[in-house]
Amino acid sequence: MADALLNSCVLAIFVSIGNVLKKMKNKAFLSLLISLCLFSNIYAGEIVAELFHTNVTVKWQTDYERQMVDFSIWFGVRTPDMFFLGFSDFGDMNNTDALLYTHRNKEIRDSYTDRNYKILPDLQQDFKILKKRKDHIVIRRKITTCDSRDYAFLAGTTQFYIAGTWGNHDLSDIRDSRWYVDKKFGKVIEGPTDSPSKGKDHPEVLESDVQVVLVNRNIPDPVPNVETTYQCIIRKMPFDTIRNTFHVVRMEAYITPGNEHLVHHMEVFVCRDEVTEWSGNCNDENKPAKAKSCSHVIAAWAMGEGPIHYPKEAGLPIGGKGKNEYVMVEIHYNNPELIAGVLDTSGFQFFVTGQLRKYDAGIMELGLIYSDVNSIPPNQKAWAMNGYCPSQCTENLPEEGINIFASQLHAHLTGRKLWTTQYRAGVSIGDVNRDEHYSPHWQHLQQLRPMVRVLPGDALVTTCVYDTRKRSNFTFGGYGIVDEMCVNYIYYYPASDLEVCKSAISNSTLRSYFSQRHGLDGKTMAISDMYNSVKHWGNGVDEEFYNVLNVGNVNMNCLKSNGEAFKFKSKDPKQSWENMARPRLFSGATVQTRDRFQCPAINDMINFD
């Protein structure tokens, strides 16, 4: 089987080289094909849905060679009379691809939900049943069917709806209260970047002297009964960091069981100064003054994410600077139901070794600056914003470049699509990471194998696409859960002093727009007040503003780990980090592997709202 797979892969590669690369049109597809051949041809995963009468387990095997997905559905202790397996584009239950199974006659039907949540049969039936048993069924479907009612499976997040009903045989509306529904997340298309090397070089094989350190509250504290809270925990690392250097080789969140719905995300910082151990609200006036030095980001985590594994050749350095090393864990609690009295001891676990690896690793923030400058008008279907890390900033990377081994994309409730693209000499050479079906409720660290090599002078552009059709007011950039973010935390080695490379539209560009177009006081008004003063963003006003965002100058954060900006270098004396021309970028040879007009999918039906 392995020889046959290798031969078919080699044949496919040479056919692609002969027929595709002559035209220099499809490097991205060939790279994906080679990666899939070299790493694995089959990926498996599973999710467990909790329905009223039973737990339903959905397992899948994705065969890249045959471009097929096999789903095995295990019904648990009591098989539903009707079963619904939906693949949602962005988490809505309407306009969703679905499989409908009726247990009475053991029949499957390729279906979809329309905009009114009605369950209807597909004209083209693309699911095939392979096995029917009393407690489970096995079905098969192509990864992409070119049916506009079918979901095209892509690398990144897949959002599942799993529903069952008992005693009913003809429910036609997925909102019917007789359905028991659960929502789950997984990755049907795992891709080559999720397959680190096996054996002794696998990142889960740790050094023999590894210590596990948990940084959390010593005494459980109640989660505040407000929607958004940021709690900080400062602790001294419990080993000799004055004279010795250690490597953190794995990190993972510890969430108090039962509180998974409240802990939205965390950031972990190293403190430059020796600080008093402390825990409390991050904005508390009693917070130690030296806590301001806890600004060097070393990790980020969000709900749904697993452990952070470092490659065998790299680790995150701690200690060796002649002082005790302190870390600060910042926890974002999201409590929209204002629940009171929930005790929490969540925090972060560090796996630390004294056997230093070859390289020191670092983490860098890409994307948009946390600011109300980066805001989104209401009633927008797909509002895209770009955060730039331009060549003027990446010139501060090591001469040999850096190797990105993991990436974590992050946005809040209106984020729908997120990705970072690498440019060299202004031309796109590929994506660092991409999630076409992002959900803030299931975020994950994407391992990158092969690693992404970034050289000094490259540009990295992080794009976030938002959907604000359910909002009547502006969505401001900021820290609250109803505000928005756009960030990619990249993990890389060798470490550099560059920690933040993010942008926003320049204040001068924004204030000039509001002054000239809307007659507002662009010199003294607060940014949020200017946005809110424009009552009507329709009739082309939003399109006009969108153009300003995409051609105007930008304000750059090109920051060192101590928060200081790198020196700005330009032959143009009018430019600065606060007001510089955005990079000129071209798409180059990278192309989509599925043309959404020639090969449609339900993913694209948003155009018909």
Side-chain angles (χ1 to χ4, degrees):
M1 174 63 186
D3 292 339
L5 171 61
L6 180 61
N7 290 337
S8 63
C9 282
V10 171
L11 177 61
I13 290 170
F14 278 101
V15 169
S16 296
I17 292 173
N19 296 339
V20 179
L21 284 190
K22 282 182 179 179
K23 302 176 182 178
M24 293 300 290
K25 295 284 187 179
N26 216 349
K27 287 184 179 178
F29 173 74
L30 182 61
S31 175
L32 175 63
L33 180 62
I34 294 173
S35 298
L36 292 176
C37 290
L38 292 178
F39 286 91
S40 174
N41 71 314
I42 293 179
Y43 165 71
E46 71 174 70
I47 51 176
V48 179
E50 300 173 1
L51 304 184
F52 181 71
H53 292 288
T54 187
N55 286 351
V56 174
T57 301
V58 179
K59 303 179 181 181
W60 61 88
Q61 283 195 327
T62 306
D63 189 327
Y64 300 115
E65 181 185 6
R66 295 177 175 83
Q67 288 290 291
M68 295 288 187
V69 187
D70 288 354
F71 292 95
S72 59
I73 302 165
W74 298 78
F75 296 115
V77 297
R78 188 176 175 190
T79 301
D81 290 297
M82 294 181 68
F83 176 78
F84 176 98
L85 176 61
F87 309 102
S88 174
D89 204 14
F90 297 113
D92 296 322
M93 293 187 71
N94 60 340
N95 296 322
T96 291
D97 184 19
L99 167 81
L100 196 65
Y101 172 72
T102 53
H103 182 55
R104 181 167 56 182
N105 53 17
K106 291 183 171 55
E107 289 183 356
I108 62 169
R109 187 169 65 199
D110 191 354
S111 305
Y112 68 97
T113 59
D114 66 11
R115 67 183 64 186
N116 297 315
Y117 301 89
K118 299 298 182 183
I119 304 172
L120 301 170
D122 267 9
L123 294 177
Q124 177 176 299
Q125 293 290 301
D126 291 296
F127 280 107
K128 177 183 179 181
I129 193 159
L130 303 181
K131 185 187 296 184
K132 292 186 284 187
R133 295 291 186 268
K134 182 178 180 180
D135 60 347
H136 75 281
I137 61 172
V138 180
I139 58 174
R140 173 174 290 174
R141 210 208 78 177
K142 291 182 178 179
I143 292 175
T144 301
T145 65
C146 297
D147 179 349
S148 63
R149 298 299 187 187
D150 283 348
Y151 181 87
F153 293 109
L154 301 170
T157 304
T158 303
Q159 303 190 40
F160 297 86
Y161 272 108
I162 300 172
T165 184
W166 287 262
N168 305 289
H169 303 278
D170 57 355
L171 302 187
S172 60
D173 190 320
I174 192 58
R175 296 172 301 178
D176 193 308
S177 61
R178 290 172 289 180
W179 285 108
Y180 294 95
V181 182
D182 197 2
K183 184 178 182 181
K184 294 295 178 182
F185 305 91
K187 289 193 282 185
V188 172
I189 304 296
E190 190 80 347
T193 59
D194 293 287
S195 304
S197 58
K198 302 297 182 182
K200 64 182 179 63
D201 292 328
H202 193 276
E204 292 186 18
V205 180
L206 303 180
E207 286 76 3
S208 59
D209 68 333
V210 162
Q211 305 176 58
V212 181
V213 179
L214 173 61
V215 175
N216 67 342
R217 291 188 180 90
N218 296 326
I219 302 173
D221 283 338
V223 176
N225 60 332
V226 296
E227 183 173 50
T228 298
T229 305
Y230 283 85
Q231 295 284 114
C232 288
I233 306 163
I234 301 175
R235 294 285 182 266
K236 182 169 78 73
M237 292 302 251
F239 34 80
D240 181 11
T241 57
I242 296 177
R243 291 177 292 272
N244 299 312
T245 301
F246 299 83
H247 267 168
V248 177
V249 294
R250 170 175 164 157
M251 292 184 279
E252 61 185 28
Y254 167 75
I255 309 298
T256 301
N259 291 356
E260 293 83 0
H261 62 297
L262 295 174
V263 182
H264 183 267
H265 73 260
M266 303 186 200
E267 281 192 286
V268 186
F269 305 84
V270 167
C271 307
R272 294 191 306 277
D273 301 330
E274 294 197 26
V275 192
T276 305
E277 289 196 343
W278 181 85
S279 65
N281 190 295
C282 295
N283 298 316
D284 192 324
E285 60 183 14
N286 295 318
K287 184 178 178 181
K290 288 187 177 181
K292 292 181 179 179
S293 73
C294 304
S295 60
H296 176 40
V297 177
I298 60 171
W301 172 92
M303 59 172 68
E305 185 186 331
I308 302 168
H309 295 284
Y310 284 79
K312 291 298 290 184
E313 64 271 24
L316 182 75
I318 292 283
K321 300 176 182 177
K323 65 179 182 64
N324 290 307
E325 200 80 272
Y326 287 76
V327 297
M328 182 176 78
V329 176
E330 180 185 274
I331 304 176
H332 173 195
Y333 291 106
N334 177 38
N335 188 4
E337 298 179 4
L338 310 182
I339 302 170
V342 178
L343 298 179
D344 190 69
T345 57
S346 298
F348 227 79
Q349 294 186 109
F350 302 84
F351 294 69
V352 184
T353 178
Q355 301 176 37
L356 298 184
R357 296 178 173 183
K358 183 177 181 179
Y359 297 104
D360 288 342
I363 183 174
M364 189 188 309
E365 286 187 54
L366 309 175
L368 294 173
I369 296 171
Y370 304 133
S371 167
D372 56 3
V373 169
N374 295 316
S375 298
I376 311 156
N379 199 33
Q380 300 300 313
K381 181 188 301 182
W383 186 272
M385 300 185 75
N386 297 313
Y388 298 95
C389 180
S391 59
Q392 295 95 321
C393 192
T394 65
E395 286 175 352
N396 298 290
L397 292 175
E399 183 179 354
E400 69 274 21
I402 61 172
N403 303 288
I404 304 175
F405 60 85
S407 162
Q408 181 198 344
L409 298 163
H410 179 72
H412 283 175
L413 299 180
T414 66
R416 295 296 180 265
K417 299 173 182 279
L418 285 70
W419 68 92
T420 296
T421 303
Q422 180 182 8
Y423 290 83
R424 184 163 295 159
V427 177
S428 168
I429 60 173
D431 289 338
V432 174
N433 187 11
R434 177 181 287 263
D435 196 336
E436 291 280 343
H437 299 97
Y438 171 83
S439 171
H441 306 295
W442 191 76
Q443 302 178 51
H444 51 272
L445 189 80
Q446 179 75 34
Q447 297 288 335
L448 302 177
R449 302 292 188 277
M451 301 180 194
V452 177
R453 184 78 177 276
V454 179
L455 300 177
D458 287 356
L460 299 169
V461 182
T462 300
T463 301
C464 293
V465 180
Y466 305 96
D467 181 350
T468 60
R469 285 176 294 174
K470 295 181 180 179
R471 297 194 173 184
S472 56
N473 297 315
F474 243 86
T475 298
F476 293 110
Y479 294 94
I481 191 64
V482 296
D483 300 326
E484 266 307 343
M485 292 183 173
C486 178
V487 61
N488 187 359
Y489 298 97
I490 56 171
Y491 296 79
Y492 70 94
Y493 71 84
S496 77
D497 203 24
L498 176 58
E499 184 171 299
V500 177
C501 193
K502 302 163 75 175
S503 74
I505 186 172
S506 71
N507 284 345
S508 58
T509 299
L510 192 64
R511 291 185 177 279
S512 176
Y513 165 75
F514 279 110
S515 296
Q516 297 176 16
R517 178 63 177 83
H518 298 287
L520 300 176
D521 183 358
K523 293 184 178 181
T524 62
M525 285 184 72
I527 296 293
S528 58
D529 290 340
M530 288 193 290
Y531 278 121
N532 285 330
S533 295
V534 180
K535 301 302 181 184
H536 302 288
W537 283 92
N539 298 321
V541 176
D542 49 357
E543 297 177 23
E544 178 185 75
F545 179 60
Y546 187 76
N547 184 58
V548 172
L549 291 180
N550 283 283
V551 300
N553 283 3
V554 296
N555 171 28
M556 275 298 308
N557 276 359
C558 182
L559 306 180
K560 303 176 183 179
S561 58
N562 62 4
E564 295 179 2
F566 284 91
K567 183 178 180 181
F568 182 79
K569 301 176 183 178
S570 175
K571 296 180 181 180
D572 185 350
K574 295 181 180 180
Q575 297 215 16
S576 64
W577 286 132
E578 292 75 26
N579 189 33
M580 62 172 285
R582 68 185 57 240
R584 291 178 60 85
L585 306 171
F586 304 92
S587 61
T590 59
V591 297
Q592 292 183 340
T593 57
R594 180 181 68 87
D595 186 288
R596 67 191 186 101
F597 297 107
Q598 295 178 350
C599 182
I602 203 168
N603 316 43
D604 311 315
M605 298 307 285
I606 191 173
N607 298 326
F608 295 95
D609 284 356

